[in-house]
Amino acid sequence: MNDWPEGFSGGDDRGSRYGRGSAGAQPEGARVMRQVRRGGPAGPPGQRGPGPAAPPYGVPQQPSYVDGGQGPAYDDGQGYDSGYNTGQVYGSPGGPGGPAGPGDGRTRGPRPAPNWRRRIKWTAITLVTLVVVTSVSTYFWADSKLHRDVDLSKVIDRPEGGKGTNYLIVGSDSRDGLSDADKKKLHTGSAEGKRTDSMMILHVGDNGDTLISLPRDSNVEIPTFKGSDSGKMYPASGATKLNAAYAKDGPTLLVRTIEYNTGLRIDHYVEIGFAGFANIVDSVGGVEMTIDKPFKDKWSGADFQAGKQKLDGQQALAFVRTRHAFAASDLQRTKNQQKFLSALAHEVATPTTVLNPFTFYPTMSAGLDSLIVDKDMSLWDLASMFWAMKGVSGGDGTSMNMPISGSVGGNLVWDKAKVKTLVEQLKNDEKVTASGD
């Protein structure tokens, strides 16, 4: 009696049966498990070895069922391997047919060496582009801050121009922007209007730069002039102090008076007030000066000891304004002004200022906000003036006072012969040999 179900026989001949406990010789269609059909003989059980490439698109090839499942894939020794006996997981990384499998066609080789020449080239291009963009942006930003308020075309009867460029640099006692507390702190007083505290001609040429101070008490003649606002003609007013010209009709009459009394054409005009001067000094962290002798002046607020010291904005303003403490009065003051402006130009041009954006931009902003220039002044002209002043301080040029021959009524009289020689040398851009006190 056979206790086994019909269709099943014991023994080792199971090749024609689907599996133990199956009710028929063929598996049910719904139970057929898709298996990977390998293109070649499988390796020994339990061994992972290189296999064929996975079918395209990740879809495993289906087994062939021939004659009711008795196809070659199910014949003994035909290499069918379900993968369950060896623990293989098809499609897993590292296995046959996986992303990192040796036969998948996507094996990564060693990383190529970096192309340093290409990297250096693009780094250089990036840096150059950054410098250009920054420079252009800075130029337009700085240019927009200039106050081009002086129209030199209103000056009449002007002398012929010569070689080189002549700048008239004016320090005014303008109190614009100063509060009452600031006026008290800076000892500026509260006088109405504006006057000139200092006037200098800076000649920039090929044979050396020359800085000439014009004492504000210089005895000059104010000629006929055209009003800067009214446009009317005004008669000459005779001899008076030079700073009276500025007080009477501002920058254009001052330029007209200097040109009339010297015969030297002024190409550009630059003016700075009290507040602007102090702000520039503070923006660079002060200016180092060596004071030869101690002096004190209640009018300017000066109180200095001899020796090397750093002056802040308030102290610097007191230093350049002091005249009552000196026997030479205005002549000594002009020398101090030249000395300080040269030191200031040198301080502004140091690498710690120019290369540090946190110092450079505040300094430039303070300077440009404080300056009043002529309508034809460009940033290039302004830079040329600045570097010339720095050169004079470094010994590459000449600094002097306008030659003086004496005084009349408390006003300083210019030495006409020396002034004529000086002006001719400046016009021809020759090395200056004329001297002043």
Side-chain angles (χ1 to χ4, degrees), residues 181-194:
D182 292 332
K183 293 176 184 177
K184 184 177 180 179
K185 176 183 176 182
L186 298 175
H187 296 269
T188 63
S190 301
E192 296 296 329
K194 292 196 302 183

Side-chain angles (χ1 to χ4, degrees), residues 385-409:
M385 182 197 79
F386 172 79
W387 286 110
M389 290 187 66
K390 182 178 181 295
V392 170
S393 69
D396 295 333
T398 303
S399 59
M400 58 184 289
N401 277 324
M402 185 66 81
I404 304 296
S405 62
S407 63
V408 56

Side-chain angles (χ1 to χ4, degrees), residues 182-323:
D182 292 332
K183 293 176 184 177
K184 184 177 180 179
K185 176 183 176 182
L186 298 175
H187 296 269
T188 63
S190 301
E192 296 296 329
K194 292 196 302 183
R195 284 157 292 278
T196 53
D197 251 30
S198 63
M199 290 162 283
M200 301 179 187
I201 294 175
L202 175 65
H203 173 81
V204 179
D206 295 332
N207 290 297
D209 304 321
T210 305
L211 184 62
I212 308 162
S213 287
L214 310 176
R216 73 173 194 170
D217 292 340
S218 298
N219 193 68
V220 297
E221 181 180 347
I222 295 182
T224 56
F225 67 95
K226 184 179 181 180
S228 57
D229 293 328
S230 65
K232 297 179 180 180
M233 294 298 298
Y234 294 89
S237 55
T240 185
K241 292 182 178 181
L242 180 58
N243 67 343
Y246 183 94
K248 191 169 187 175
D249 198 45
T252 54
L253 180 54
L254 178 61
V255 171
R256 164 77 172 135
T257 302
I258 291 174
E259 290 184 343
Y260 178 82
N261 285 270
T262 63
L264 184 68
R265 186 183 180 94
I266 301 299
D267 299 299
H268 291 294
Y269 178 91
V270 181
E271 177 186 328
I272 187 169
F274 283 162
F277 181 81
N279 288 339
I280 292 175
V281 175
D282 286 334
S283 68
V284 296
V287 175
E288 196 169 77
M289 292 285 297
T290 298
I291 298 177
D292 299 328
K293 298 179 180 179
F295 63 88
K296 189 174 183 178
D297 181 15
K298 68 176 182 178
W299 301 100
S300 66
D303 187 3
F304 297 104
Q305 299 298 318
K308 196 173 186 179
Q309 51 204 285
K310 178 166 282 192
L311 309 185
D312 61 19
Q314 177 184 348
Q315 294 169 323
L317 188 58
F319 180 80
V320 299
R321 294 183 61 222
T322 297
R323 64 187 180 116

Side-chain angles (χ1 to χ4, degrees), residues 212-213 215 328 330-332 334-335 338 399-406 412-413 415 418 434-437:
I212 308 162
S213 287
D330 208 33
L331 291 177
Q332 181 60 45
T334 56
K335 292 179 180 179
Q338 289 181 350
S399 59
M400 58 184 289
N401 277 324
M402 185 66 81
I404 304 296
S405 62
L412 298 173
V413 178
D415 188 318
K418 288 185 177 180
S435 61
D437 296 328

Side-chain angles (χ1 to χ4, degrees), residues 54-72:
Y57 309 111
V59 180
Q61 184 177 352
Q62 301 303 310
S64 175
Y65 296 94
V66 182
D67 298 330
Q70 299 300 322

